[in-house]
Amino acid sequence: MVRPVTWDVLRDVVLARVPADGRRVVLVDGAPPTRPGDLADALVGPLRASGRAVARVRADDFLRPASVRLEHGRHDPDAYLEDRLDVGALVREVLRPFAASGRYLPSLWDAVADRATRARPVQAPPGAVLVLDGDLLLGRGLPADLTVHLAVRPATLARRLPEEERWMLPAFARYAAEVGPEDVADVVARVDDPAHPALVERPPVV
């Protein structure tokens, strides 16, 4: 079932699914035109208003150096899917230490300057929520307590991607076929119409 909602309702649905105890990780996944960072940012204020500290992290701050991620050229969709994100660093420097002790690295690599950000570790208090956003994040073994996927049809994605970025389309097609993000995410919203998201409601598991 698909239920039309507003972005505020979608935000509240996600917030209601965040476990109330302990340090928790919320992952918001979506292709760039779906603007997963906007939904991730929208979670921050309400979480803080409820008394939770928030650690806001962006996957794009954990990309591999250009020499690795662009080894096969700037327009290789397989490399975009497989080589762009430094999954090991994200797990090692952020997600595992955050869950264990609350200490995490907020950023690692400045992809524009192609150099380390030199960020220092941050200590999050007990009960904090780490909100991570990015694209092609599911199916990579990233430990998270709640996963959200913003879905669009392939034709919609092709239309909304700038022409110079449409070389990425095969990467998102592989992601859909191999990972099935709409099947594995805890919360799924279809955002083909960015002004009118629709919440995918699955029947309860018997």
Side-chain angles (χ1 to χ4, degrees):
M1 296 178 59
V2 178
R3 175 166 61 96
V5 294
T6 65
W7 282 102
D8 286 348
V9 168
L10 177 58
R11 175 203 63 201
D12 292 345
V13 167
V14 175
L15 290 167
R17 297 283 299 271
V18 179
D21 59 329
R23 295 187 186 93
R24 299 293 181 171
V25 174
V26 177
L27 185 157
V28 183
D29 172 72
T34 70
R35 304 178 66 89
D38 289 356
L39 178 58
D41 288 342
L43 302 175
V44 173
L47 283 168
R48 287 177 175 161
S50 71
R52 309 284 295 267
V54 179
R56 183 69 178 88
V57 177
R58 294 166 175 80
D60 278 356
D61 291 328
F62 288 83
L63 302 186
R64 289 191 167 110
S67 60
V68 177
R69 70 177 189 274
L70 303 178
E71 182 179 1
H72 302 289
R74 293 183 175 274
H75 302 112
D76 186 305
D78 291 328
Y80 188 84
L81 177 62
E82 299 168 2
D83 301 328
R84 181 171 176 268
L85 180 67
D86 193 337
V87 175
L90 193 52
V91 173
R92 182 180 65 251
E93 303 292 347
V94 182
L95 301 176
R96 283 183 183 161
F98 175 84
S101 67
R103 192 172 175 82
Y104 70 98
L105 193 68
S107 66
L108 178 64
W109 197 257
D110 182 336
V112 175
D114 198 34
R115 63 186 180 190
T117 62
R118 302 181 186 275
R120 295 184 178 183
V122 175
Q123 180 66 47
V129 178
L130 188 147
V131 181
L132 170 69
D133 80 279
D135 62 324
L136 307 171
L137 296 182
L138 301 175
R140 296 177 177 269
L142 299 175
D145 299 286
L146 180 66
T147 56
V148 182
H149 177 64
L150 301 178
V152 289
R153 297 181 182 89
T156 304
L157 182 58
R159 186 175 65 251
R160 290 173 59 185
L161 272 175
E163 184 175 354
E164 64 273 16
E165 295 179 2
R166 290 177 187 160
W167 61 267
M168 300 177 185
L169 289 170
F172 289 99
R174 271 191 61 194
Y175 182 59
E178 297 174 9
V179 175
E182 291 193 50
D183 297 322
V184 301
D186 299 309
V187 179
V188 176
R190 295 181 182 165
V191 292
D192 291 277
D193 180 348
H196 300 96
L199 183 67
V200 178
E201 297 182 322
R202 302 186 181 100
V205 178
V206 179

PDB file of all heavy atoms in Angstrom, residues 30-51:
ATOM      1  N   GLY A  30      19.176   7.833  -0.610  1.00  0.00           N
ATOM      2  CA  GLY A  30      18.416   8.242  -1.793  1.00  0.00           C
ATOM      3  C   GLY A  30      19.331   8.813  -2.845  1.00  0.00           C
ATOM      4  O   GLY A  30      20.398   9.363  -2.523  1.00  0.00           O
ATOM      5  N   ALA A  31      18.946   8.679  -4.105  1.00  0.00           N
ATOM      6  CA  ALA A  31      19.718   9.282  -5.188  1.00  0.00           C
ATOM      7  C   ALA A  31      19.768  10.798  -5.004  1.00  0.00           C
ATOM      8  O   ALA A  31      18.859  11.386  -4.391  1.00  0.00           O
ATOM      9  CB  ALA A  31      19.070   8.935  -6.529  1.00  0.00           C
ATOM     10  N   PRO A  32      20.803  11.456  -5.507  1.00  0.00           N
ATOM     11  CA  PRO A  32      20.943  12.898  -5.260  1.00  0.00           C
ATOM     12  C   PRO A  32      19.697  13.735  -5.533  1.00  0.00           C
ATOM     13  O   PRO A  32      19.374  14.626  -4.725  1.00  0.00           O
ATOM     14  CB  PRO A  32      22.117  13.287  -6.171  1.00  0.00           C
ATOM     15  CG  PRO A  32      22.949  12.057  -6.226  1.00  0.00           C
ATOM     16  CD  PRO A  32      21.972  10.911  -6.237  1.00  0.00           C
ATOM     17  N   PRO A  33      18.921  13.499  -6.622  1.00  0.00           N
ATOM     18  CA  PRO A  33      17.741  14.338  -6.839  1.00  0.00           C
ATOM     19  C   PRO A  33      16.667  14.194  -5.762  1.00  0.00           C
ATOM     20  O   PRO A  33      15.803  15.070  -5.649  1.00  0.00           O
ATOM     21  CB  PRO A  33      17.211  13.863  -8.199  1.00  0.00           C
ATOM     22  CG  PRO A  33      18.396  13.289  -8.891  1.00  0.00           C
ATOM     23  CD  PRO A  33      19.176  12.626  -7.796  1.00  0.00           C
ATOM     24  N   THR A  34      16.691  13.124  -4.975  1.00  0.00           N
ATOM     25  CA  THR A  34      15.704  12.976  -3.905  1.00  0.00           C
ATOM     26  C   THR A  34      16.077  13.777  -2.673  1.00  0.00           C
ATOM     27  O   THR A  34      15.286  13.861  -1.732  1.00  0.00           O
ATOM     28  CB  THR A  34      15.528  11.500  -3.515  1.00  0.00           C
ATOM     29  OG1 THR A  34      16.702  11.017  -2.833  1.00  0.00           O
ATOM     30  CG2 THR A  34      15.240  10.637  -4.733  1.00  0.00           C
ATOM     31  N   ARG A  35      17.285  14.296  -2.628  1.00  0.00           N
ATOM     32  CA  ARG A  35      17.763  15.163  -1.545  1.00  0.00           C
ATOM     33  C   ARG A  35      17.627  14.491  -0.178  1.00  0.00           C
ATOM     34  O   ARG A  35      16.938  15.002   0.723  1.00  0.00           O
ATOM     35  CB  ARG A  35      17.043  16.507  -1.576  1.00  0.00           C
ATOM     36  CG  ARG A  35      17.171  17.234  -2.911  1.00  0.00           C
ATOM     37  CD  ARG A  35      16.412  18.547  -2.929  1.00  0.00           C
ATOM     38  NE  ARG A  35      16.988  19.508  -1.999  1.00  0.00           N
ATOM     39  CZ  ARG A  35      17.958  20.372  -2.286  1.00  0.00           C
ATOM     40  NH1 ARG A  35      18.485  20.361  -3.494  1.00  0.00           N
ATOM     41  NH2 ARG A  35      18.406  21.209  -1.386  1.00  0.00           N
ATOM     42  N   PRO A  36      18.294  13.351   0.013  1.00  0.00           N
ATOM     43  CA  PRO A  36      18.201  12.689   1.316  1.00  0.00           C
ATOM     44  C   PRO A  36      18.736  13.536   2.459  1.00  0.00           C
ATOM     45  O   PRO A  36      18.296  13.403   3.610  1.00  0.00           O
ATOM     46  CB  PRO A  36      19.032  11.412   1.125  1.00  0.00           C
ATOM     47  CG  PRO A  36      19.962  11.734  -0.011  1.00  0.00           C
ATOM     48  CD  PRO A  36      19.170  12.622  -0.918  1.00  0.00           C
ATOM     49  N   GLY A  37      19.669  14.428   2.150  1.00  0.00           N
ATOM     50  CA  GLY A  37      20.190  15.302   3.192  1.00  0.00           C
ATOM     51  C   GLY A  37      19.139  16.217   3.778  1.00  0.00           C
ATOM     52  O   GLY A  37      19.205  16.579   4.961  1.00  0.00           O
ATOM     53  N   ASP A  38      18.153  16.613   2.962  1.00  0.00           N
ATOM     54  CA  ASP A  38      17.095  17.488   3.473  1.00  0.00           C
ATOM     55  C   ASP A  38      16.257  16.774   4.528  1.00  0.00           C
ATOM     56  O   ASP A  38      15.920  17.353   5.568  1.00  0.00           O
ATOM     57  CB  ASP A  38      16.196  17.967   2.333  1.00  0.00           C
ATOM     58  CG  ASP A  38      16.883  18.976   1.425  1.00  0.00           C
ATOM     59  OD1 ASP A  38      18.033  19.364   1.721  1.00  0.00           O
ATOM     60  OD2 ASP A  38      16.265  19.383   0.424  1.00  0.00           O
ATOM     61  N   LEU A  39      15.899  15.523   4.260  1.00  0.00           N
ATOM     62  CA  LEU A  39      15.137  14.770   5.253  1.00  0.00           C
ATOM     63  C   LEU A  39      15.991  14.517   6.489  1.00  0.00           C
ATOM     64  O   LEU A  39      15.499  14.647   7.625  1.00  0.00           O
ATOM     65  CB  LEU A  39      14.653  13.449   4.664  1.00  0.00           C
ATOM     66  CG  LEU A  39      13.879  12.539   5.628  1.00  0.00           C
ATOM     67  CD1 LEU A  39      12.650  13.245   6.187  1.00  0.00           C
ATOM     68  CD2 LEU A  39      13.486  11.240   4.936  1.00  0.00           C
ATOM     69  N   ALA A  40      17.260  14.175   6.284  1.00  0.00           N
ATOM     70  CA  ALA A  40      18.141  13.964   7.435  1.00  0.00           C
ATOM     71  C   ALA A  40      18.242  15.233   8.278  1.00  0.00           C
ATOM     72  O   ALA A  40      18.165  15.179   9.518  1.00  0.00           O
ATOM     73  CB  ALA A  40      19.523  13.530   6.947  1.00  0.00           C
ATOM     74  N   ASP A  41      18.398  16.379   7.630  1.00  0.00           N
ATOM     75  CA  ASP A  41      18.465  17.644   8.372  1.00  0.00           C
ATOM     76  C   ASP A  41      17.167  17.921   9.132  1.00  0.00           C
ATOM     77  O   ASP A  41      17.185  18.476  10.234  1.00  0.00           O
ATOM     78  CB  ASP A  41      18.743  18.803   7.420  1.00  0.00           C
ATOM     79  CG  ASP A  41      20.163  18.805   6.879  1.00  0.00           C
ATOM     80  OD1 ASP A  41      21.034  18.149   7.473  1.00  0.00           O
ATOM     81  OD2 ASP A  41      20.399  19.469   5.849  1.00  0.00           O
ATOM     82  N   ALA A  42      16.035  17.524   8.536  1.00  0.00           N
ATOM     83  CA  ALA A  42      14.739  17.789   9.172  1.00  0.00           C
ATOM     84  C   ALA A  42      14.543  16.980  10.443  1.00  0.00           C
ATOM     85  O   ALA A  42      13.682  17.324  11.272  1.00  0.00           O
ATOM     86  CB  ALA A  42      13.609  17.490   8.187  1.00  0.00           C
ATOM     87  N   LEU A  43      15.321  15.922  10.620  1.00  0.00           N
ATOM     88  CA  LEU A  43      15.205  15.113  11.834  1.00  0.00           C
ATOM     89  C   LEU A  43      15.926  15.748  13.020  1.00  0.00           C
ATOM     90  O   LEU A  43      15.613  15.440  14.173  1.00  0.00           O
ATOM     91  CB  LEU A  43      15.790  13.720  11.591  1.00  0.00           C
ATOM     92  CG  LEU A  43      15.190  12.899  10.453  1.00  0.00           C
ATOM     93  CD1 LEU A  43      15.987  11.603  10.279  1.00  0.00           C
ATOM     94  CD2 LEU A  43      13.727  12.588  10.723  1.00  0.00           C
ATOM     95  N   VAL A  44      16.879  16.619  12.739  1.00  0.00           N
ATOM     96  CA  VAL A  44      17.772  17.102  13.788  1.00  0.00           C
ATOM     97  C   VAL A  44      17.032  17.915  14.846  1.00  0.00           C
ATOM     98  O   VAL A  44      17.139  17.654  16.059  1.00  0.00           O
ATOM     99  CB  VAL A  44      18.915  17.931  13.171  1.00  0.00           C
ATOM    100  CG1 VAL A  44      19.760  18.575  14.270  1.00  0.00           C
ATOM    101  CG2 VAL A  44      19.783  17.050  12.282  1.00  0.00           C
ATOM    102  N   GLY A  45      16.259  18.918  14.412  1.00  0.00           N
ATOM    103  CA  GLY A  45      15.570  19.786  15.373  1.00  0.00           C
ATOM    104  C   GLY A  45      14.619  19.033  16.280  1.00  0.00           C
ATOM    105  O   GLY A  45      14.683  19.183  17.519  1.00  0.00           O
ATOM    106  N   PRO A  46      13.712  18.223  15.734  1.00  0.00           N
ATOM    107  CA  PRO A  46      12.793  17.476  16.600  1.00  0.00           C
ATOM    108  C   PRO A  46      13.506  16.512  17.548  1.00  0.00           C
ATOM    109  O   PRO A  46      13.072  16.339  18.695  1.00  0.00           O
ATOM    110  CB  PRO A  46      11.905  16.729  15.602  1.00  0.00           C
ATOM    111  CG  PRO A  46      11.941  17.554  14.368  1.00  0.00           C
ATOM    112  CD  PRO A  46      13.328  18.099  14.308  1.00  0.00           C
ATOM    113  N   LEU A  47      14.576  15.877  17.091  1.00  0.00           N
ATOM    114  CA  LEU A  47      15.315  14.984  17.985  1.00  0.00           C
ATOM    115  C   LEU A  47      15.900  15.770  19.154  1.00  0.00           C
ATOM    116  O   LEU A  47      15.816  15.348  20.315  1.00  0.00           O
ATOM    117  CB  LEU A  47      16.417  14.264  17.217  1.00  0.00           C
ATOM    118  CG  LEU A  47      15.971  13.100  16.334  1.00  0.00           C
ATOM    119  CD1 LEU A  47      17.104  12.664  15.406  1.00  0.00           C
ATOM    120  CD2 LEU A  47      15.505  11.913  17.186  1.00  0.00           C
ATOM    121  N   ARG A  48      16.492  16.918  18.852  1.00  0.00           N
ATOM    122  CA  ARG A  48      17.063  17.741  19.924  1.00  0.00           C
ATOM    123  C   ARG A  48      15.974  18.270  20.844  1.00  0.00           C
ATOM    124  O   ARG A  48      16.154  18.327  22.066  1.00  0.00           O
ATOM    125  CB  ARG A  48      17.872  18.884  19.324  1.00  0.00           C
ATOM    126  CG  ARG A  48      19.194  18.409  18.729  1.00  0.00           C
ATOM    127  CD  ARG A  48      19.961  19.526  18.065  1.00  0.00           C
ATOM    128  NE  ARG A  48      21.275  19.061  17.613  1.00  0.00           N
ATOM    129  CZ  ARG A  48      22.016  19.665  16.699  1.00  0.00           C
ATOM    130  NH1 ARG A  48      21.565  20.781  16.118  1.00  0.00           N
ATOM    131  NH2 ARG A  48      23.185  19.173  16.359  1.00  0.00           N
ATOM    132  N   ALA A  49      14.826  18.629  20.263  1.00  0.00           N
ATOM    133  CA  ALA A  49      13.721  19.122  21.091  1.00  0.00           C
ATOM    134  C   ALA A  49      13.209  18.041  22.030  1.00  0.00           C
ATOM    135  O   ALA A  49      12.674  18.349  23.111  1.00  0.00           O
ATOM    136  CB  ALA A  49      12.591  19.625  20.197  1.00  0.00           C
ATOM    137  N   SER A  50      13.376  16.784  21.643  1.00  0.00           N
ATOM    138  CA  SER A  50      12.938  15.679  22.497  1.00  0.00           C
ATOM    139  C   SER A  50      13.976  15.313  23.548  1.00  0.00           C
ATOM    140  O   SER A  50      13.757  14.389  24.346  1.00  0.00           O
ATOM    141  CB  SER A  50      12.628  14.447  21.645  1.00  0.00           C
ATOM    142  OG  SER A  50      13.824  13.874  21.122  1.00  0.00           O
ATOM    143  N   GLY A  51      15.115  16.001  23.537  1.00  0.00           N
ATOM    144  CA  GLY A  51      16.145  15.757  24.531  1.00  0.00           C
ATOM    145  C   GLY A  51      17.281  14.878  24.063  1.00  0.00           C
ATOM    146  O   GLY A  51      18.178  14.558  24.846  1.00  0.00           O
TER     147      GLY A  51
END
